[in-house]
Every structure is written in C-alpha cells, then in structure tokens.
Amino acid sequence: MKVSFYLKKAGADYETLIYVTISYAGNRIRIFTDERIHPQFWNSDRQRVRQTLRFPTNPEFNSRLDSIETKIRNVYRSWKVNNGEKEEPSVPILTNLIKKELGRTPEVDKALVQLKTFWGFFEDFIDRSAKGIRTNKNKQIRQTSIGSYRNLFNSLKKYERAINKKLDFDSFDMHLYNQYYSYLIGLNLATNTIGKQFSILKVVLREAYEDGYSRNTIFNHSKFRSVSEPPQTIYLNNDELAELAGLEIINKRLDRVRDTFIIGCLTGLRFSDISKLKLDDIEDGIIEIVQTKTGNPVAIPLRQKVLDIIAKYDNNFPKVMSNQKFNQYLKELCALCPSLQKEISVKEKRGGVESVITKPKYEFVSSHTARRSFATNEFLAKDIKTYQIMAITGHKTEKSFYRYIRLTPEENAKDIANIWQKRDDKQAVVLKHHLKIVKSINE
C-alpha cells in the first residue's frame, strides 16, 4: 500500500485543500481531508508542509497528516488480518472503512454536499475563519472581521426572504448586485457599510471559485465593486488636548478614561492595542508590540506624560473597559471642555443621500479620535518626517496616511501661509544681504 498527499490546486495563490490517495493491489482511492494549505508552504517531494518560520505551526500540521496516514494503514492492516493476507478489500469497502476511521461519516459527507451550495460554503467560510483554519497571509482572521462576515450572512438571508427567491452561486450577477445595493440603501445604511458588504461578498465568491465550488466569476466584473467614501471624522488639536488634560476631575471613572485617551493621543495606538498594554511591552523607554489589527510590529518611544500616567497607576497602565462603554464615558468627559462644546458640521452619506450633521464637537469624539489626533498633530508639527510618523502608526503608504490625517481646508491654508511667510522672510534676508554687498562695492 502507498499513501500519498497532494494539493487540490498546486499552482494556486491561495489556500487549497489537501487530498490523500491510497494505492493498493492495482486499486486507487482518493479522499479529501479537512486540511488546507497555501502552496508556497507545501513540499511536494516530502508531501508535507515545509519547515519554515513563515509557517510556525508546521510541526502540528505535519503531525495531523502523519496521523491520517497511520489511521489509513491501520485500517488496511486490520482488514487483512481479519480476512486473510491473500485477500484484498474492494474499493467501496476500504473507502467506507477509511472514511469511518477519519470521521467521514454519512453525516459528514452530507455536510460536504451542503458545502457545495452558496450558504453551505459561506457557513464553512465563517467557521474556518473563527477556528483559525482560514487565514489571511498566514495571519489569523480578526474577530471584528468575523463579525462582519456574520453580518453579511444575516443580511443576505433577510434579502433572500424579502425577494422570496433562494440564493445560490449562480444567483450573483449584475442584476442582483444592483437590486441588493438598492435594498441596502433602502435600509438607510452608510455608504462605507454597504461597501464593506460587497467587499466581503467578493472575497467569498472568489474563494468559492478558487476552491472549485463555483464557476461564477462575477467577482471579476469591473462594475461588481465595493463602494466607499472618505470617513468624515475629526481630531483634537493640541490646544483642545491641553484643555482636556487640564480639567479637574473628581470622578475616577472619567479620570481613567481621560488617561487612556491621552495615551492614545501620544502613542498613536489603536484602542485594541491600548487595552492590551502591559509593562512587559516597554523596553528602554520604548513600547514594542505587534498591532492587533495588522499583525505588524511597531516601536513607539514613550513621552513623559505617558510615563507620568503609568506612575499614577502604580507603575501600570490604566485598566481599560469595553470600547462601547469607553466611548460613552469619553463623550461625557469631552462635554466638560468649553472648546468641544462648540458646534461643528460633518458631511454624511446614508441611504444614498448626502446630509450635513451639526452638533457639538464632543459628540463626534470616539476612542479612535486619539489615533487620528496623534497622526494629524505630529504631521502639523513639521519637526518629524512623514515616514517616521508612519513607522509609528503602521501606515504602509503615504497615500493611505494622507487619507487618514484630519486636516481642514482652513488649517491647510494656514499651514501653507506660514510656510510662504518663512520663505518670504528668508528671501528678504537674502535680498537685504545682497543689497548690502552691492552698496559696499559701489562705495
């Protein structure tokens, strides 16, 4: 008997299924496993995962393949012992015995049939993401992304009931795209929320095609796209932050919220990273962590104010509450600042209609305002190069960084005016010096 492992699509640029072939007495059986791997990590000669730091779980993965091979060989040997060495099991008998040993019961096979439907594949897509089996560039899928998958799943289910027509892979075309887009607009959803749904849907349809469950390539259509618009968010300038930091607060809960927010404003860290900070993350006055959202390492020098906050909490970071509660208390805190009580207007597109929302600035403040405030204030300071700020925020391109910072047209105009003034002053000094030289020559 020979047991071999192969990739379903060895030339793919994505994770693909692994199947096992069993060759014996002139017969050949092929059974798909539940394992998936990106071809770049597969050693076709050894028929196992490569030993590489880029795939740190390779020992566990190969151990599972070894276990599958051992079970298959044991099933074959057991049959031979019970039925005679000269006898050979038929293909159906050995197939069923192996499937049973591997946990491939009729119920499991039924689930595999269900997997070939859009809903079955989508459920499996979410389940594999939640279990860490499905990854993105060898990184586990974030819980927030898994939550977005479930939101799309539930939204499409409601849409299916609304149109009274069962959805499957072949249902997705430009007509359905336009109809579903109109349906979402009717729910008064924000443009970026709608765009997020179509972005995920394209990923699901693409993976189903790449894994061989669907032949529909509508995800490649130029008009089957996600929609987006720049988020209309705000930042707090240095004067507003100074006012916030100088507030006399008796309420310990609001004081803790303020300290956490200021840490974000002075480090550029996301709330998800701040909530996990511990003293072990500090080395020689520098915070060194791997970002929760991107998985990228960042190193951030600590400002004195952050060190003072750590000392205030007995050499620790302030305890962080849930993001929802934090945002609730943050608005309550910011409402105490006179400068944040002034009304501002922000554009919003919802349900396909653009509108202007006017309310006190503190109403727009959230935990993420801290990170945007850091990036914008450091950019305006002009004493740190853009690429150095990006090294802290984790932005990969200047284009994405410039979209991220919050600079109003008025602030941009003032910034340019200051630059021009400095340029004019410099030219005036040069001209004055030149005239002085000419005068001395003429004398």
Side-chain angles (χ1 to χ4, degrees):
M1 168 183 274
K2 182 180 180 182
V3 179
S4 306
F5 291 94
Y6 299 98
L7 302 185
K8 182 179 180 182
K9 292 190 175 183
D13 188 29
Y14 49 85
E15 288 187 350
T16 184
L17 285 167
I18 297 176
Y19 66 88
V20 58
T21 62
I22 303 101
S23 303
Y24 72 102
N27 299 312
R28 183 181 175 89
I29 299 172
R30 185 173 80 160
I31 298 175
F32 276 94
T33 72
D34 292 330
E35 302 292 346
R36 295 168 181 263
I37 191 72
H38 194 292
Q40 67 177 317
F41 301 123
W42 184 252
N43 186 322
S44 57
D45 293 330
R46 294 184 59 249
Q47 297 178 7
R48 292 294 188 273
V49 176
R50 297 181 186 277
Q51 295 182 5
T52 170
L53 293 176
R54 295 174 60 199
F55 195 86
T57 59
N58 66 80
E60 294 84 352
F61 198 104
N62 285 334
S63 179
R64 293 197 297 271
L65 296 183
D66 291 341
S67 177
I68 291 173
E69 179 173 350
T70 299
K71 288 178 179 180
I72 291 172
R73 292 188 180 281
N74 287 342
V75 166
Y76 179 72
R77 278 196 293 267
S78 294
W79 193 94
K80 297 278 284 185
V81 168
N82 294 329
N83 294 274
E85 287 296 327
K86 293 183 179 181
E87 299 294 326
E88 295 290 344
S90 66
V91 169
I93 288 177
L94 186 58
T95 299
N96 288 334
L97 289 173
I98 291 174
K99 283 186 174 181
K100 184 177 180 181
E101 181 65 21
L102 297 180
R104 288 284 300 278
T105 62
E107 289 75 17
V108 173
D109 284 338
K110 184 179 179 181
L112 290 175
V113 172
Q114 175 68 16
L115 185 62
K116 296 180 180 180
T117 68
F118 170 73
W119 293 114
F121 180 83
F122 200 170
E123 282 184 319
D124 182 67
F125 175 93
I126 296 172
D127 186 57
R128 287 186 290 110
S129 299
K131 291 179 178 177
I133 298 173
R134 178 181 172 272
T135 59
N136 181 21
K137 297 179 181 178
N138 205 32
K139 297 175 183 176
Q140 286 200 336
I141 307 298
R142 293 179 294 119
Q143 288 301 315
T144 51
S145 296
I146 296 170
S148 297
Y149 300 161
R150 293 193 175 106
N151 288 339
L152 173 60
F153 185 95
N154 294 333
S155 179
L156 284 172
K157 276 292 187 183
K158 291 178 181 178
Y159 174 70
E160 185 182 61
R161 290 194 292 269
I163 63 174
N164 195 28
K165 180 182 178 181
K166 191 170 182 63
L167 298 180
D168 211 334
F169 288 119
D170 293 337
S171 304
F172 294 93
D173 53 21
M174 285 311 302
H175 176 72
L176 185 138
Y177 172 92
N178 292 324
Q179 292 296 316
Y180 186 55
Y181 187 88
S182 298
Y183 169 80
L184 295 176
I185 285 180
L187 297 178
N188 199 36
L189 297 180
T191 299
N192 288 343
T193 301
I194 295 175
K196 183 70 173 178
Q197 289 214 14
F198 280 106
S199 178
I200 296 171
L201 180 58
K202 285 168 65 72
V203 172
V204 174
L205 293 177
R206 182 182 296 277
E207 287 199 15
Y209 173 79
E210 291 172 345
D211 285 356
Y213 294 106
S214 168
R215 295 182 179 180
N216 190 346
T217 60
I218 188 62
F219 54 84
N220 280 330
H221 197 292
S222 61
K223 294 183 178 179
F224 196 96
R225 61 182 186 272
S226 58
V227 291
S228 64
E229 61 179 3
Q232 298 296 318
T233 51
I234 55 101
Y235 84 101
L236 302 189
N237 60 40
N238 287 323
D239 290 339
E240 291 166 332
L241 290 175
E243 182 182 7
L244 183 65
L247 287 176
E248 291 188 11
I249 300 175
I250 300 176
N251 188 306
K252 291 184 178 180
R253 180 193 64 205
L254 294 184
D255 191 34
R256 180 156 53 95
V257 168
R258 175 176 59 181
D259 289 338
T260 303
F261 184 75
I262 289 176
I263 289 175
C265 292
L266 296 179
T267 62
L269 289 172
R270 296 180 181 86
F271 183 83
S272 57
D273 293 322
I274 294 175
S275 62
K276 297 178 181 178
L277 282 178
K278 52 188 183 299
L279 284 183
D280 290 344
D281 296 324
I282 301 175
E283 184 73 30
D284 295 329
I286 296 176
I287 294 177
E288 297 183 41
I289 65 165
V290 174
Q291 293 177 318
T292 302
K293 180 178 180 179
T294 64
N296 296 324
V298 291
I300 307 166
L302 287 177
R303 304 274 288 272
Q304 184 58 49
K305 180 61 178 175
V306 178
L307 293 172
D308 292 341
I309 292 174
I310 292 174
K312 176 180 174 180
Y313 292 89
D314 297 326
N315 288 325
N316 212 335
F317 289 95
K319 187 178 179 181
V320 179
M321 59 195 72
S322 70
N323 199 3
Q324 183 179 4
K325 282 290 185 182
F326 183 87
N327 285 331
Q328 176 185 332
Y329 297 143
L330 180 60
K331 287 177 172 58
E332 182 181 339
L333 168 70
C334 291
L336 301 175
C337 293
S339 62
L340 301 181
Q341 294 169 6
K342 297 175 183 178
E343 290 190 340
I344 63 171
S345 296
V346 173
K347 291 182 180 180
E348 181 184 63
K349 194 171 184 180
R350 187 175 289 273
V353 178
E354 187 174 284
S355 60
V356 177
I357 301 174
T358 301
K359 55 185 178 182
K361 187 172 183 177
Y362 71 80
E363 289 281 359
F364 294 102
V365 178
S366 69
S367 60
H368 202 71
T369 305
R371 178 171 159 83
R372 289 190 187 276
S373 298
F374 168 84
T376 306
N377 287 324
E378 290 299 328
F379 176 77
L380 288 172
K382 300 298 181 184
D383 52 0
I384 299 179
K385 293 180 174 59
T386 301
Y387 76 86
Q388 292 176 312
I389 305 173
M390 290 168 55
I392 292 178
T393 60
H395 288 94
K396 294 297 183 182
T397 65
E398 287 194 359
K399 182 179 179 180
S400 64
F401 175 77
Y402 289 135
R403 281 202 308 262
Y404 189 78
I405 60 176
R406 286 293 164 261
L407 197 61
T408 66
E410 293 80 7
E411 288 169 328
N412 185 57
K414 289 179 181 178
D415 190 36
I416 293 174
N418 289 332
I419 294 173
W420 284 350
Q421 184 62 53
K422 290 178 181 178
R423 184 191 302 167
D424 292 343
D425 292 343
K426 185 177 181 180
Q427 289 175 345
V429 170
V430 172
L431 180 60
K432 184 178 180 180
H433 180 67
H434 177 72
L435 292 174
K436 186 177 180 180
I437 293 175
V438 171
K439 184 178 179 181
S440 63
I441 293 174
N442 291 334
E443 290 176 349

